[in-house]
Amino acid sequence: MKSEKRAWVAVLTGTLIVAGGGAVTAPPAWTQPALLQSHGAGGDILRAEASQVVSAPGIPGTVPARSTRLTYASSDTHDAPTTVVGTYLEPLAPWTGPGERPLVAYAGGTQGQGAECAPSAMLSQVVRFQPPADVLFEYDVIAIYQLLARGMGVVITDYHDLNAPGIHNFLNRKTQGYAVLDSARAALRLPDTGLGPNSPVLLYGYSQGGMASAAAAELQPKYAPDLNVRGAYVGGPLVSPQDYIARFDGRPGVATAIAWIVNGIAADYPDTRPVLDAALNNTGKAIMNEAIGKCGGLSSSFTQPQNTTQWTTSGLPLAAVIDGSPELKRAFDEQRLGGLAPSVPVRIYSARHDEGAPYAAVHGMAASWCGAGATVQLDSDAGLPPISAGLLGTHDVAFFPSLMTSQQWVTDRLANVPAPVNCAALP
Protein backbone atom coordinates (compact mmCIF):
# COMPACT_ATOMS: atom_id res chain seq x y z
CA MET A 1 0.00 0.00 0.00
CA LYS A 2 2.76 2.45 0.92
CA SER A 3 4.75 1.80 -2.25
CA GLU A 4 1.60 2.17 -4.35
CA LYS A 5 0.92 5.56 -2.79
CA ARG A 6 4.36 6.83 -3.65
CA ALA A 7 4.34 5.32 -7.12
CA TRP A 8 1.34 7.24 -8.44
CA VAL A 9 3.56 10.30 -8.79
CA ALA A 10 5.73 8.33 -11.18
CA VAL A 11 2.63 7.72 -13.30
CA LEU A 12 1.93 11.43 -13.48
CA THR A 13 5.44 12.77 -13.91
CA GLY A 14 7.71 9.96 -15.01
CA THR A 15 9.82 10.54 -11.90
CA LEU A 16 9.43 8.88 -8.52
CA ILE A 17 9.29 11.50 -5.76
CA VAL A 18 9.43 10.48 -2.12
CA ALA A 19 7.37 12.66 0.23
CA GLY A 20 9.56 15.06 2.17
CA GLY A 21 12.48 14.81 -0.22
CA GLY A 22 14.42 18.03 -0.63
CA ALA A 23 12.84 19.68 2.41
CA VAL A 24 14.69 21.20 5.33
CA THR A 25 16.21 18.67 7.71
CA ALA A 26 14.55 18.66 11.11
CA PRO A 27 16.67 19.71 14.11
CA PRO A 28 18.22 17.13 16.45
CA ALA A 29 15.25 17.47 18.85
CA TRP A 30 13.10 15.61 16.36
CA THR A 31 13.78 12.77 13.95
CA GLN A 32 11.32 11.05 11.68
CA PRO A 33 10.53 7.61 13.09
CA ALA A 34 11.11 4.52 11.04
CA LEU A 35 7.91 3.13 9.58
CA LEU A 36 6.41 0.27 11.57
CA GLN A 37 3.93 -2.08 9.97
CA SER A 38 0.66 -2.13 11.88
CA HIS A 39 -0.39 -5.54 13.13
CA GLY A 40 -2.51 -4.34 16.05
CA ALA A 41 -6.01 -3.11 16.66
CA GLY A 42 -6.79 0.59 16.47
CA GLY A 43 -4.94 2.49 19.18
CA ASP A 44 -2.42 -0.23 19.98
CA ILE A 45 0.92 1.36 20.85
CA LEU A 46 3.68 0.17 18.56
CA ARG A 47 6.34 2.50 19.98
CA ALA A 48 6.52 5.12 22.72
CA GLU A 49 9.49 7.39 23.37
CA ALA A 50 10.17 10.63 25.21
CA SER A 51 10.12 13.71 22.98
CA GLN A 52 10.66 17.43 23.36
CA VAL A 53 8.48 20.51 23.31
CA VAL A 54 9.64 24.09 23.44
CA SER A 55 8.32 27.40 24.66
CA ALA A 56 5.90 29.21 22.39
CA PRO A 57 6.48 32.83 21.28
CA GLY A 58 4.44 35.19 23.44
CA ILE A 59 3.67 32.54 26.04
CA PRO A 60 5.76 32.70 29.21
CA GLY A 61 7.65 29.56 30.20
CA THR A 62 7.68 26.24 28.45
CA VAL A 63 4.73 24.18 27.35
CA PRO A 64 3.63 22.80 30.73
CA ALA A 65 3.84 19.10 29.93
CA ARG A 66 5.94 15.99 29.63
CA SER A 67 5.93 14.78 26.04
CA THR A 68 5.77 11.26 24.64
CA ARG A 69 5.81 10.51 20.95
CA LEU A 70 3.58 7.58 20.03
CA THR A 71 3.51 5.31 17.02
CA TYR A 72 0.14 3.61 17.05
CA ALA A 73 -2.12 1.39 14.95
CA SER A 74 -5.03 2.90 13.06
CA SER A 75 -7.05 2.35 9.87
CA ASP A 76 -6.78 3.80 6.38
CA THR A 77 -9.63 5.10 4.26
CA HIS A 78 -10.44 1.55 3.14
CA ASP A 79 -10.42 0.30 6.75
CA ALA A 80 -7.15 -1.59 6.33
CA PRO A 81 -4.52 -1.47 9.12
CA THR A 82 -2.06 1.40 9.00
CA THR A 83 0.35 3.24 11.28
CA VAL A 84 0.10 6.80 12.59
CA VAL A 85 2.38 8.96 14.75
CA GLY A 86 1.16 11.30 17.47
CA THR A 87 2.31 13.11 20.62
CA TYR A 88 0.91 12.79 24.11
CA LEU A 89 1.37 15.78 26.41
CA GLU A 90 1.02 14.99 30.10
CA PRO A 91 0.21 18.22 31.96
CA LEU A 92 2.34 19.36 34.85
CA ALA A 93 -0.66 21.14 36.33
CA PRO A 94 -3.03 19.07 38.50
CA TRP A 95 -6.55 18.36 37.35
CA THR A 96 -8.92 20.07 39.77
CA GLY A 97 -12.17 19.40 37.94
CA PRO A 98 -14.68 16.65 38.59
CA GLY A 99 -13.78 13.00 38.21
CA GLU A 100 -10.72 11.59 36.46
CA ARG A 101 -8.25 13.70 34.54
CA PRO A 102 -9.72 14.17 31.04
CA LEU A 103 -7.96 13.64 27.73
CA VAL A 104 -8.35 16.05 24.83
CA ALA A 105 -7.85 14.38 21.45
CA TYR A 106 -6.58 17.46 19.64
CA ALA A 107 -6.74 17.64 15.84
CA GLY A 108 -4.23 20.07 14.36
CA GLY A 109 -4.85 22.64 11.66
CA THR A 110 -3.39 22.70 8.16
CA GLN A 111 0.40 22.70 8.06
CA GLY A 112 1.29 20.95 4.82
CA GLN A 113 2.04 17.62 3.15
CA GLY A 114 5.54 16.88 4.42
CA ALA A 115 7.00 15.25 7.52
CA GLU A 116 8.56 18.55 8.61
CA CYS A 117 5.05 20.00 8.97
CA ALA A 118 3.79 17.33 11.37
CA PRO A 119 2.88 18.32 14.94
CA SER A 120 5.49 15.89 16.26
CA ALA A 121 8.06 17.99 14.46
CA MET A 122 6.51 21.40 15.03
CA LEU A 123 6.03 20.97 18.79
CA SER A 124 9.79 20.73 19.15
CA GLN A 125 10.37 24.09 17.42
CA VAL A 126 7.01 25.93 16.94
CA VAL A 127 8.38 28.14 14.14
CA ARG A 128 9.99 26.63 11.05
CA PHE A 129 11.51 28.13 7.92
CA GLN A 130 11.26 26.25 4.63
CA PRO A 131 13.18 27.74 1.69
CA PRO A 132 12.79 29.75 -0.32
CA ALA A 133 10.40 31.98 1.65
CA ASP A 134 7.93 30.02 3.76
CA VAL A 135 7.64 30.41 7.53
CA LEU A 136 5.42 27.95 9.38
CA PHE A 137 4.02 28.67 12.85
CA GLU A 138 2.46 25.97 15.04
CA TYR A 139 -0.49 28.13 16.11
CA ASP A 140 -2.26 25.18 17.71
CA VAL A 141 0.21 25.43 20.59
CA ILE A 142 -1.81 28.37 21.93
CA ALA A 143 -4.94 26.26 22.42
CA ILE A 144 -2.89 23.29 23.60
CA TYR A 145 -1.16 25.43 26.21
CA GLN A 146 -4.51 26.58 27.61
CA LEU A 147 -5.83 23.03 27.83
CA LEU A 148 -2.68 21.83 29.59
CA ALA A 149 -2.84 24.76 32.01
CA ARG A 150 -6.28 23.50 33.06
CA GLY A 151 -4.71 20.14 33.92
CA MET A 152 -6.11 18.28 30.92
CA GLY A 153 -4.06 15.67 29.10
CA VAL A 154 -3.65 16.37 25.38
CA VAL A 155 -2.84 13.99 22.53
CA ILE A 156 -2.32 15.39 19.02
CA THR A 157 -2.17 13.20 15.96
CA ASP A 158 0.06 13.70 12.94
CA TYR A 159 -2.71 12.24 10.77
CA HIS A 160 -2.25 9.50 8.21
CA ASP A 161 1.16 9.48 6.47
CA LEU A 162 2.10 12.99 7.59
CA ASN A 163 4.94 11.65 9.71
CA ALA A 164 5.73 8.44 7.84
CA PRO A 165 6.81 7.47 4.31
CA GLY A 166 3.99 8.06 1.88
CA ILE A 167 1.82 10.99 0.81
CA HIS A 168 -0.35 12.64 3.46
CA ASN A 169 -3.98 12.32 2.38
CA PHE A 170 -4.86 15.91 3.18
CA LEU A 171 -8.54 16.39 4.18
CA ASN A 172 -9.45 12.70 3.99
CA ARG A 173 -12.54 12.40 6.19
CA LYS A 174 -12.17 8.82 7.40
CA THR A 175 -8.43 8.63 8.02
CA GLN A 176 -8.45 11.94 9.89
CA GLY A 177 -11.31 10.78 12.09
CA TYR A 178 -9.71 7.39 12.67
CA ALA A 179 -6.34 8.95 13.50
CA VAL A 180 -7.94 11.24 16.11
CA LEU A 181 -9.93 8.44 17.75
CA ASP A 182 -7.01 6.02 17.78
CA SER A 183 -4.70 8.68 19.21
CA ALA A 184 -7.05 8.85 22.19
CA ARG A 185 -7.06 5.08 22.52
CA ALA A 186 -3.27 5.03 22.44
CA ALA A 187 -2.88 7.80 25.03
CA LEU A 188 -5.30 6.06 27.40
CA ARG A 189 -3.13 2.92 27.20
CA LEU A 190 0.07 4.67 28.26
CA PRO A 191 1.12 3.63 31.78
CA ASP A 192 1.56 6.00 34.72
CA THR A 193 -0.32 8.98 33.26
CA GLY A 194 -3.31 9.12 35.59
CA LEU A 195 -5.51 8.19 32.64
CA GLY A 196 -7.55 5.03 32.44
CA PRO A 197 -9.66 3.13 29.90
CA ASN A 198 -12.79 5.04 30.92
CA SER A 199 -11.24 8.50 31.33
CA PRO A 200 -13.38 11.21 29.73
CA VAL A 201 -12.31 12.14 26.20
CA LEU A 202 -13.02 15.37 24.32
CA LEU A 203 -12.52 15.91 20.58
CA TYR A 204 -11.16 19.33 19.66
CA GLY A 205 -9.96 20.97 16.46
CA TYR A 206 -10.04 24.01 14.18
CA SER A 207 -9.76 24.27 10.37
CA GLN A 208 -8.35 20.96 9.09
CA GLY A 209 -8.57 20.00 12.75
CA GLY A 210 -12.23 21.06 12.77
CA MET A 211 -12.89 18.72 9.86
CA ALA A 212 -10.98 15.94 11.66
CA SER A 213 -12.84 16.52 14.93
CA ALA A 214 -16.16 16.49 13.07
CA ALA A 215 -15.19 13.30 11.25
CA ALA A 216 -14.14 11.68 14.53
CA ALA A 217 -17.49 12.63 16.08
CA GLU A 218 -19.35 11.13 13.11
CA LEU A 219 -17.33 7.91 13.10
CA GLN A 220 -16.99 7.34 16.85
CA PRO A 221 -20.30 5.53 17.53
CA LYS A 222 -19.35 2.68 15.19
CA TYR A 223 -15.54 2.87 15.10
CA ALA A 224 -14.67 3.65 18.74
CA PRO A 225 -17.71 3.02 21.00
CA ASP A 226 -15.24 2.02 23.73
CA LEU A 227 -14.15 5.65 24.19
CA ASN A 228 -15.91 7.72 26.85
CA VAL A 229 -16.31 10.75 24.57
CA ARG A 230 -18.10 13.63 26.31
CA GLY A 231 -18.25 16.09 23.43
CA ALA A 232 -16.64 17.47 20.29
CA TYR A 233 -15.58 21.03 19.53
CA VAL A 234 -15.60 21.63 15.76
CA GLY A 235 -14.06 24.96 14.79
CA GLY A 236 -14.12 26.38 11.26
CA PRO A 237 -14.43 22.96 9.60
CA LEU A 238 -13.90 22.40 5.89
CA VAL A 239 -17.00 20.41 4.98
CA SER A 240 -16.10 19.30 1.43
CA PRO A 241 -12.67 19.29 -0.27
CA GLN A 242 -14.29 19.39 -3.72
CA ASP A 243 -16.22 22.52 -2.77
CA TYR A 244 -12.93 24.05 -1.59
CA ILE A 245 -11.36 23.39 -5.00
CA ALA A 246 -14.32 24.89 -6.84
CA ARG A 247 -14.53 27.94 -4.59
CA PHE A 248 -10.84 28.82 -4.59
CA ASP A 249 -9.91 27.95 -8.14
CA GLY A 250 -8.07 30.93 -9.60
CA ARG A 251 -7.51 32.74 -6.30
CA PRO A 252 -3.90 33.69 -5.53
CA GLY A 253 -1.97 31.56 -3.07
CA VAL A 254 -4.01 28.34 -2.94
CA ALA A 255 -2.55 26.28 -5.79
CA THR A 256 -0.43 24.20 -3.42
CA ALA A 257 -3.35 23.48 -1.09
CA ILE A 258 -5.46 22.30 -4.05
CA ALA A 259 -2.57 20.08 -5.10
CA TRP A 260 -2.36 18.60 -1.58
CA ILE A 261 -6.01 17.55 -1.83
CA VAL A 262 -5.58 15.93 -5.25
CA ASN A 263 -2.33 14.25 -4.21
CA GLY A 264 -4.13 12.68 -1.26
CA ILE A 265 -7.01 11.42 -3.40
CA ALA A 266 -4.59 9.84 -5.86
CA ALA A 267 -2.60 8.26 -3.05
CA ASP A 268 -5.68 6.66 -1.49
CA TYR A 269 -7.77 5.73 -4.52
CA PRO A 270 -5.76 3.82 -7.16
CA ASP A 271 -8.60 3.95 -9.70
CA THR A 272 -8.29 7.75 -9.85
CA ARG A 273 -4.64 7.74 -10.92
CA PRO A 274 -5.16 6.90 -14.63
CA VAL A 275 -7.93 9.52 -14.73
CA LEU A 276 -5.62 12.17 -13.30
CA ASP A 277 -2.75 11.10 -15.54
CA ALA A 278 -4.94 11.71 -18.57
CA ALA A 279 -6.60 14.86 -17.21
CA LEU A 280 -3.50 16.79 -16.05
CA ASN A 281 -1.08 18.41 -18.47
CA ASN A 282 2.60 18.93 -17.73
CA THR A 283 1.88 22.12 -15.78
CA GLY A 284 -0.68 20.39 -13.58
CA LYS A 285 1.59 17.40 -12.99
CA ALA A 286 4.49 19.67 -12.05
CA ILE A 287 2.32 21.53 -9.50
CA MET A 288 1.17 18.23 -7.96
CA ASN A 289 4.76 17.04 -7.82
CA GLU A 290 6.09 20.22 -6.23
CA ALA A 291 3.42 20.21 -3.51
CA ILE A 292 4.62 16.92 -2.01
CA GLY A 293 6.75 17.65 1.03
CA LYS A 294 5.68 21.28 1.07
CA CYS A 295 4.84 22.98 4.36
CA GLY A 296 2.18 25.59 4.82
CA GLY A 297 3.61 29.03 4.05
CA LEU A 298 2.55 28.50 0.42
CA SER A 299 4.67 31.30 -1.03
CA SER A 300 5.32 29.11 -4.08
CA SER A 301 1.59 29.13 -4.81
CA PHE A 302 1.82 32.76 -5.94
CA THR A 303 4.28 31.88 -8.71
CA GLN A 304 2.17 29.04 -10.13
CA PRO A 305 -0.72 29.27 -12.59
CA GLN A 306 -3.66 30.07 -10.35
CA ASN A 307 -6.51 28.88 -12.54
CA THR A 308 -6.78 25.10 -12.80
CA THR A 309 -7.96 25.42 -16.41
CA GLN A 310 -4.23 25.83 -17.04
CA TRP A 311 -3.52 22.50 -15.35
CA THR A 312 -5.73 20.26 -17.45
CA THR A 313 -5.43 18.80 -20.94
CA SER A 314 -9.07 19.68 -21.67
CA GLY A 315 -8.91 23.25 -20.40
CA LEU A 316 -11.69 22.46 -17.94
CA PRO A 317 -11.34 23.46 -14.28
CA LEU A 318 -10.50 20.67 -11.85
CA ALA A 319 -13.97 20.78 -10.29
CA ALA A 320 -15.47 19.98 -13.70
CA VAL A 321 -12.93 17.20 -14.24
CA ILE A 322 -13.97 15.70 -10.89
CA ASP A 323 -17.67 15.93 -11.73
CA GLY A 324 -17.02 14.28 -15.11
CA SER A 325 -15.18 11.27 -13.69
CA PRO A 326 -17.12 8.59 -11.77
CA GLU A 327 -13.90 7.51 -10.06
CA LEU A 328 -12.93 10.99 -8.90
CA LYS A 329 -16.49 11.96 -7.99
CA ARG A 330 -16.93 8.86 -5.86
CA ALA A 331 -13.63 9.48 -4.04
CA PHE A 332 -14.40 13.15 -3.37
CA ASP A 333 -17.97 12.45 -2.24
CA GLU A 334 -16.57 10.17 0.47
CA GLN A 335 -14.80 13.17 2.02
CA ARG A 336 -17.97 15.24 2.62
CA LEU A 337 -19.08 15.76 6.23
CA GLY A 338 -22.67 15.62 7.41
CA GLY A 339 -23.70 12.13 6.34
CA LEU A 340 -23.46 10.56 9.81
CA ALA A 341 -24.78 11.94 13.08
CA PRO A 342 -22.54 12.26 16.16
CA SER A 343 -23.84 10.62 19.32
CA VAL A 344 -22.10 13.12 21.62
CA PRO A 345 -22.79 16.86 22.09
CA VAL A 346 -21.12 19.03 19.46
CA ARG A 347 -20.29 22.71 19.47
CA ILE A 348 -19.60 24.15 16.04
CA TYR A 349 -17.92 27.53 15.61
CA SER A 350 -18.06 29.32 12.26
CA ALA A 351 -17.37 32.93 11.33
CA ARG A 352 -20.01 34.31 8.97
CA HIS A 353 -17.36 35.82 6.70
CA ASP A 354 -15.00 32.82 6.76
CA GLU A 355 -13.51 32.62 3.28
CA GLY A 356 -11.68 29.33 3.87
CA ALA A 357 -14.48 27.24 5.39
CA PRO A 358 -17.63 28.99 4.17
CA TYR A 359 -20.45 29.42 6.67
CA ALA A 360 -23.18 28.14 4.36
CA ALA A 361 -21.56 24.70 4.13
CA VAL A 362 -20.99 24.58 7.90
CA HIS A 363 -24.62 25.55 8.48
CA GLY A 364 -25.69 22.75 6.14
CA MET A 365 -23.60 20.21 8.06
CA ALA A 366 -25.12 21.40 11.35
CA ALA A 367 -28.63 21.16 9.92
CA SER A 368 -27.95 17.63 8.70
CA TRP A 369 -26.72 16.57 12.14
CA CYS A 370 -29.68 18.25 13.83
CA GLY A 371 -32.08 16.51 11.47
CA ALA A 372 -30.60 13.17 12.51
CA GLY A 373 -31.18 13.96 16.19
CA ALA A 374 -27.69 15.08 17.25
CA THR A 375 -27.12 17.53 20.11
CA VAL A 376 -25.67 20.54 18.29
CA GLN A 377 -24.89 24.13 19.12
CA LEU A 378 -23.86 26.26 16.14
CA ASP A 379 -22.04 29.43 17.16
CA SER A 380 -22.28 31.84 14.25
CA ASP A 381 -19.72 34.61 14.70
CA ALA A 382 -20.96 37.60 12.76
CA GLY A 383 -18.66 40.02 14.55
CA LEU A 384 -15.55 39.34 12.48
CA PRO A 385 -15.56 41.39 9.27
CA PRO A 386 -14.12 40.09 5.99
CA ILE A 387 -10.35 40.21 6.46
CA SER A 388 -7.65 39.93 3.84
CA ALA A 389 -4.10 40.84 4.84
CA GLY A 390 -1.57 39.01 2.71
CA LEU A 391 -1.79 35.32 3.59
CA LEU A 392 -4.12 36.02 6.53
CA GLY A 393 -7.88 35.96 6.14
CA THR A 394 -10.96 35.78 8.32
CA HIS A 395 -10.53 32.01 8.62
CA ASP A 396 -7.10 32.43 10.21
CA VAL A 397 -8.08 35.28 12.51
CA ALA A 398 -11.24 33.47 13.67
CA PHE A 399 -9.09 30.82 15.36
CA PHE A 400 -8.48 33.19 18.25
CA PRO A 401 -12.01 34.26 19.28
CA SER A 402 -13.06 30.63 18.90
CA LEU A 403 -10.74 29.77 21.80
CA MET A 404 -12.48 32.11 24.22
CA THR A 405 -15.69 30.11 24.59
CA SER A 406 -14.76 26.67 23.27
CA GLN A 407 -12.63 25.70 26.26
CA GLN A 408 -15.35 26.65 28.75
CA TRP A 409 -17.76 24.55 26.70
CA VAL A 410 -15.33 21.66 26.96
CA THR A 411 -15.02 22.13 30.73
CA ASP A 412 -18.81 22.18 31.12
CA ARG A 413 -19.10 18.81 29.38
CA LEU A 414 -16.83 17.33 32.04
CA ALA A 415 -18.99 18.81 34.80
CA ASN A 416 -22.13 17.26 33.27
CA VAL A 417 -23.66 20.67 32.59
CA PRO A 418 -26.50 20.15 30.08
CA ALA A 419 -25.17 20.83 26.58
CA PRO A 420 -26.72 23.86 24.86
CA VAL A 421 -28.66 23.15 21.67
CA ASN A 422 -29.94 25.56 19.02
CA CYS A 423 -31.12 23.08 16.39
CA ALA A 424 -34.62 24.53 16.48
CA ALA A 425 -33.34 27.91 15.26
CA LEU A 426 -29.90 27.57 13.70
CA PRO A 427 -28.40 31.03 13.16
Side-chain angles (χ1 to χ4, degrees):
M1 181 66 71
K2 297 286 185 183
S3 60
E4 288 180 2
K5 287 183 177 183
R6 291 193 292 272
W8 85 271
V9 184
V11 174
L12 294 182
T13 66
T15 304
L16 181 63
I17 302 296
V18 178
V24 181
T25 302
W30 175 83
T31 55
Q32 185 175 351
L35 176 65
L36 298 175
Q37 293 296 325
S38 172
H39 298 292
D44 281 356
I45 298 173
L46 306 178
R47 177 182 294 162
E49 55 192 343
S51 57
Q52 294 184 7
V53 291
V54 298
S55 59
I59 298 177
T62 58
V63 174
R66 288 179 289 270
S67 177
T68 302
R69 186 170 59 193
L70 301 169
T71 305
Y72 61 93
S74 190
S75 301
D76 69 13
T77 197
H78 306 293
D79 298 306
T82 192
T83 302
V84 178
V85 174
T87 301
Y88 172 63
L89 299 169
E90 182 178 351
L92 301 180
W95 169 245
T96 58
E100 296 179 73
R101 184 194 298 277
L103 173 69
V104 177
Y106 194 99
T110 301
Q111 298 288 24
Q113 202 164 46
E116 290 77 16
C117 324
S120 291
M122 291 300 300
L123 287 171
S124 68
Q125 54 198 302
V126 179
V127 178
R128 182 174 190 82
F129 172 71
Q130 187 178 54
D134 283 337
V135 177
L136 190 65
F137 171 52
E138 180 52 280
Y139 56 86
D140 287 307
V141 76
I142 300 169
I144 291 170
Y145 184 98
Q146 293 175 341
L147 293 165
L148 291 168
R150 291 173 180 257
M152 300 179 184
V154 176
V155 62
I156 180 168
T157 180
D158 287 352
Y159 298 128
H160 186 245
D161 276 335
L162 189 54
N163 198 3
I167 296 172
H168 168 49
N169 48 5
F170 180 58
L171 301 182
N172 181 293
R173 178 181 61 89
K174 288 175 69 177
T175 60
Q176 288 182 156
Y178 291 160
V180 170
L181 294 168
D182 285 325
S183 73
R185 284 168 158 166
L188 295 178
R189 294 170 188 175
L190 278 172
D192 304 321
T193 62
L195 299 173
N198 200 46
S199 293
V201 174
L202 295 144
L203 311 175
Y204 192 107
Y206 184 86
S207 189
Q208 181 183 3
M211 181 184 184
S213 178
E218 288 190 341
L219 296 166
Q220 181 267 332
K222 182 177 179 180
Y223 184 78
D226 50 296
L227 290 177
N228 178 20
V229 179
R230 298 290 189 85
Y233 167 64
V234 175
L238 185 68
V239 173
S240 166
Q242 184 180 354
D243 290 352
Y244 178 93
I245 292 173
R247 180 179 177 85
F248 283 92
D249 195 344
R251 297 193 185 189
V254 297
T256 300
I258 290 174
W260 289 338
I261 296 171
V262 178
N263 281 340
I265 291 292
D268 277 352
Y269 298 89
D271 60 340
T272 67
R273 298 171 199 166
V275 178
L276 288 168
D277 186 46
L280 293 171
N281 59 26
N282 289 339
T283 297
K285 292 173 183 178
I287 292 170
M288 300 298 158
N289 188 4
E290 185 179 352
I292 300 171
K294 208 42 128 169
C295 289
L298 303 185
S299 64
S300 62
S301 286
F302 289 95
T303 64
Q304 296 166 336
Q306 302 299 308
N307 197 310
T308 63
T309 58
Q310 299 174 267
W311 303 9
T312 63
T313 54
S314 63
L316 293 173
L318 268 178
V321 171
I322 294 166
D323 282 334
S325 162
E327 297 85 0
L328 285 170
K329 184 63 176 170
R330 183 167 51 250
F332 272 92
D333 283 348
E334 287 187 12
Q335 315 318 320
R336 184 180 296 273
L337 293 169
L340 299 171
S343 61
V344 299
V346 180
R347 180 180 187 270
I348 306 169
Y349 170 89
S350 179
R352 286 291 186 119
H353 300 293
D354 190 325
E355 80 296 340
Y359 176 74
V362 177
H363 185 280
M365 179 189 72
S368 178
W369 284 352
C370 287
T375 301
V376 177
Q377 179 191 27
L378 174 59
D379 178 7
S380 165
D381 189 343
L384 279 176
I387 298 169
S388 181
L391 289 174
L392 287 177
T394 304
H395 180 73
D396 307 289
V397 175
F399 171 78
F400 299 98
S402 75
L403 296 180
M404 298 176 64
T405 53
S406 63
Q407 297 204 5
Q408 185 58 52
W409 184 90
V410 163
T411 303
D412 287 345
R413 301 292 72 73
L414 298 168
N416 294 319
V417 175
V421 181
N422 59 358
C423 282
L426 290 175

